[in-house]
Amino acid sequence: MARIVNFSAGPAVLPEEVLARAGDEMLDWRGTGMCVMEMSHRGREFMSIAAEAEKDLRDLLAIPPGYKVLFLQGGATLQFAQIPMNLLAGKGKADYVVTGEWSKKAVKEAQAYCDVHIAASSEDKAFTYAPSQWNVRPDTAYVHYCSNETIGGVEFHAIPEAKNIPLVADASSHLLSRPLEVSKFGLIYAGAQKNIGPAGLTIVIVRDDLVGRAAKGTPSVMDYKQQAAADSMLNTPATYSIYIAGLVFKWLKALGGLAEIERRNIAKAQLLYDYLDGSSFYRNSVNPKDRSRMNVPFTLKDATQDGAFLKGAEERGMVQLKGHRSVGGMRASIYNAMPLAGVQQLVAYMKEFEAKHG
Ligand SMILES: *Cc1c(COP(=O)(O)O)cnc(C)c1O
């Protein structure tokens, strides 16, 4: 059966090579006679899978010494609460930058734990840009932002300067899409199911000095220190998700690492944005310099044609193009595993649809 072109925002497309390899190893992982799903997380085999995944992730991002890498569960949404639980350190205040739906959710969750100050917001222009002027309180415990807003399609292309205040980033939908200077951050987190692997795994990269400050009453699985001390195996981790993420890391290394995937991602995004900008039938309203390379929302001139557009796309083997209910229109998520040919196919269809209905 032919594979579909999947523009889902998440869970999302995975590299075909990774899925094929997982298929080959399904019944017998490297002569063990077991599937990875059947292995004890304390056994030699799985311990080696997890250790290799961590090493490959550290290599890809060139994570400097002095950072813990944690493989947790609960999604990015749990981090919205877990971050204040671990990072407030009795300060009782945290600053947030609001650029769309996900950062709004992070704020809402943090408000249960501390006094939240909005250091910057792009709400004045319907969340269509990445604000560069931040008004951060000098005594805040940390400053949090969403480095790629999956729904609005707004990406910070430069790392904001937070001086000596720990910078915390929700990088769920673009981690590993480009090289990243990890040393600028106190903490980076991402749910795996956008650009990395299956759902069920959350990656947290946290600077050592921010570990060990959890508030009293923090559940032990949510305490970064206890998880770090246990190599993220305080309880049973998401073993199969870690294994698949590990295969994705190897796939990225083999194709040339993050510099190469960034080059490919730029080419894909440029193809789509250039077409959108040259057309008066389709529109993307994000400030051009803040447009996401991963999530490309667009609207049709006449929203009553949305249904016909989606139906035609599906007939041509392209799915999950419907925009998020909060913004409407369309959204093409073009993560690492989306080949250039998928974007070319989408643009060809958009031209065809415009010629017929424009
Ligand atoms: C999807 C997403 C989330 C929520 O992830 P869950 O794993 O469902 O909790 C949070 N932030 C961003 C930027 C996302 O794209």
Side-chain angles (χ1 to χ4, degrees):
M1 193 206 134
R3 297 258 303 157
I4 210 117
V5 187
N6 179 3
F7 293 97
S8 171
V13 58
L14 283 165
E16 230 171 271
E17 296 92 321
V18 165
L19 297 176
R21 168 106 182 252
D24 289 344
E25 294 180 340
M26 184 62 72
L27 297 181
D28 177 12
W29 185 81
R30 300 194 195 168
T32 57
M34 276 185 286
C35 173
V36 175
M37 277 184 263
E38 302 171 302
M39 290 177 183
S40 164
H41 60 296
R42 309 274 179 216
R44 184 165 36 85
E45 296 86 357
F46 185 75
M47 299 277 274
S48 77
I49 289 171
E52 210 165 303
E54 179 179 336
K55 185 191 173 296
D56 286 336
L57 180 61
R58 284 182 180 274
D59 289 349
L60 280 168
L61 280 166
I63 299 176
Y67 283 82
K68 304 273 186 268
V69 171
L70 304 176
F71 292 150
L72 305 179
Q73 298 183 62
T77 304
L78 185 59
Q79 292 308 308
F80 294 166
Q82 200 168 337
I83 285 162
M85 283 171 140
N86 279 270
L87 263 48
L88 285 172
K91 278 197 171 172
K93 45 175 84 171
D95 287 14
Y96 280 72
V97 173
V98 179
T99 50
E101 297 303 318
W102 291 114
S103 40
K104 277 202 282 188
K105 286 198 165 113
V107 165
K108 191 153 176 275
E109 202 74 8
Q111 278 167 336
Y113 300 91
C114 61
D115 162 35
V116 171
H117 163 69
I118 305 303
S121 167
S122 57
E123 193 162 13
D124 58 337
K125 289 187 183 155
F127 300 119
T128 53
Y129 70 103
S132 54
Q133 293 301 316
W134 294 9
N135 169 23
V136 177
R137 293 178 293 187
D139 58 344
T140 185
Y142 61 88
V143 55
H144 176 284
Y145 78 117
C146 178
S147 47
N148 184 66
E149 284 281 1
T150 321
I151 294 172
V154 174
E155 182 168 6
F156 281 83
H157 290 286
I159 300 170
E161 188 51 66
K163 300 205 177 70
N164 50 356
I165 291 162
L167 182 65
V168 176
D170 176 358
S172 290
S173 47
H174 76 161
L175 189 66
L176 300 184
S177 69
R178 57 197 295 162
L180 187 67
E181 211 176 328
V182 173
S183 65
K184 299 245 177 169
F185 295 89
L187 187 151
I188 303 162
Y189 65 100
Q193 74 275 18
K194 307 289 166 58
N195 197 33
I196 295 175
L201 167 65
T202 313
I203 292 173
V204 174
I205 302 165
V206 55
R207 210 171 61 207
D208 286 349
D209 63 292
L210 301 175
V211 174
R213 303 171 166 201
K216 203 163 164 275
T218 299
S220 47
V221 288
M222 291 169 68
D223 177 352
Y224 296 140
K225 186 179 179 189
Q226 293 192 52
Q227 284 288 13
D231 288 329
S232 307
M233 295 198 202
L234 197 68
N235 67 325
T236 316
T239 53
Y240 201 74
S241 297
I242 292 170
Y243 158 70
I244 298 288
L247 294 182
V248 171
F249 301 155
K250 293 221 178 288
W251 172 78
L252 281 168
K253 279 179 117 174
L255 67 78
L258 299 189
E260 172 58 21
I261 200 74
E262 176 180 47
R263 194 188 63 73
R264 297 183 190 191
N265 286 332
I266 290 172
K268 287 184 290 176
Q270 199 159 5
L271 176 65
L272 188 46
Y273 284 119
D274 282 352
Y275 177 65
L276 287 167
D277 287 345
S279 150
S280 54
F281 185 79
Y282 302 100
R283 181 180 154 79
N284 167 282
S285 49
V286 176
N287 185 24
K289 74 171 186 44
D290 303 323
R291 285 169 166 175
S292 170
R293 291 176 189 160
M294 298 281 99
N295 310 98
V296 184
F298 60 91
T299 50
L300 274 56
K301 202 168 172 178
D302 173 6
T304 64
Q305 293 181 339
D306 286 3
F309 180 88
L310 290 166
K311 187 165 171 283
E314 205 155 324
E315 284 163 6
R316 289 161 181 77
M318 291 175 284
V319 298
Q320 299 287 347
L321 282 162
K322 193 171 165 38
H324 190 269
R325 58 189 181 279
S326 67
V327 290
M330 310 296 151
R331 172 178 50 174
S333 293
I334 50 174
Y335 296 119
N336 285 352
M338 170 62 64
L340 177 65
V343 182
Q344 287 168 333
Q345 192 179 326
L346 173 62
V347 169
Y349 168 61
M350 288 169 74
K351 279 184 193 161
E352 181 193 334
F353 191 87
E354 178 174 0
K356 207 153 134 202
H357 302 266

